[in-house]
Amino acid sequence: VYAPEGGKNLAPRQHARKMKVGKVTFDQAYNAVSEYRAKYPEKAVIYYAQNYPDMAWAVFMGGGSLAGIPVKDQKFLAEAATMNVVPRVDESYTMLSKKDGCIIYSVADGNVPVDLEQGKYRVESIDPKTGVSTVVNKGIKIKGQYMLPSTAGKVYWFRKI
């Protein structure tokens, strides 16, 4: 590899040290993980970058393995393991199990459409930094599409009751 500033040839590892690498965005990390998950569904998809701790939720919502999210609730983790990543169409990221519930990571304030089977659901809001959940609604009846009034940077967990 040629290094123009010094005029010397560098080994690839030396050249890599000279490169200025920018930070990866939430969307870029999510896309990378979800693309690999779609291409290799039977494999573990592990992601690492300079700002990995900030991207743990992007990795998780993209279907990545071993994402470092702070949630300790075993029910949440067990249900998340059965969910599938839904291709992104709006200002949110969604993992869904039509009959059991869904997890939504909201990027912007506003209404997020939620498509679940008809039934009664408990809705919890999870703080992405601490993993602490707060009950938003103990029992909401959903018939068809539901519009979730969401707050940017929050995670919402719908679970069937």
Side-chain angles (χ1 to χ4, degrees):
V1 176
Y2 178 74
E5 69 275 350
K8 299 178 186 176
N9 289 328
L10 299 175
R13 63 180 172 72
Q14 293 169 316
H15 177 72
R17 279 193 226 126
K18 297 270 185 194
M19 297 300 296
K20 300 285 186 213
V21 180
K23 287 198 173 195
V24 175
T25 66
F26 190 100
D27 202 40
Q28 290 169 329
Y30 170 84
N31 287 337
V33 171
S34 61
E35 285 173 17
Y36 271 92
R37 171 59 63 211
K39 192 171 184 176
Y40 305 104
E42 71 288 349
K43 302 273 187 185
V45 178
I46 298 175
Y47 178 87
Y48 182 79
Q50 282 182 324
N51 59 339
Y52 171 77
D54 298 334
M55 296 297 116
W57 278 101
V59 172
F60 177 78
M61 295 305 294
S65 306
L66 304 172
I69 61 172
V71 178
K72 303 293 184 231
D73 186 329
Q74 293 303 311
K75 286 182 182 179
F76 176 87
L77 298 172
E79 283 189 25
T82 67
M83 294 182 182
N84 297 312
V85 174
V86 176
R88 187 167 176 229
V89 292
D90 57 16
E91 292 298 314
S92 65
Y93 300 88
T94 305
M95 293 175 66
L96 174 70
S97 169
K98 274 260 191 209
K99 61 180 181 176
D100 295 327
C102 70
I103 299 169
I104 297 171
Y105 185 100
S106 178
V107 177
D109 293 340
N111 291 329
V112 175
V114 179
D115 290 311
L116 293 169
E117 279 189 358
Q118 182 175 337
K120 196 171 184 179
Y121 293 84
R122 176 183 174 108
V123 183
E124 295 183 28
S125 171
I126 300 171
D127 185 319
K129 292 191 187 316
T130 64
V132 175
S133 68
T134 307
V135 176
V136 175
N137 196 318
K138 290 182 180 179
I140 186 168
K141 290 183 181 178
I142 294 181
K143 296 178 184 176
Q145 191 176 66
Y146 172 75
M147 295 304 279
L148 169 69
S150 67
T151 303
K154 286 281 187 183
V155 177
Y156 296 93
W157 175 28
F158 284 74
R159 67 178 174 167
K160 199 165 198 173
I161 49 175

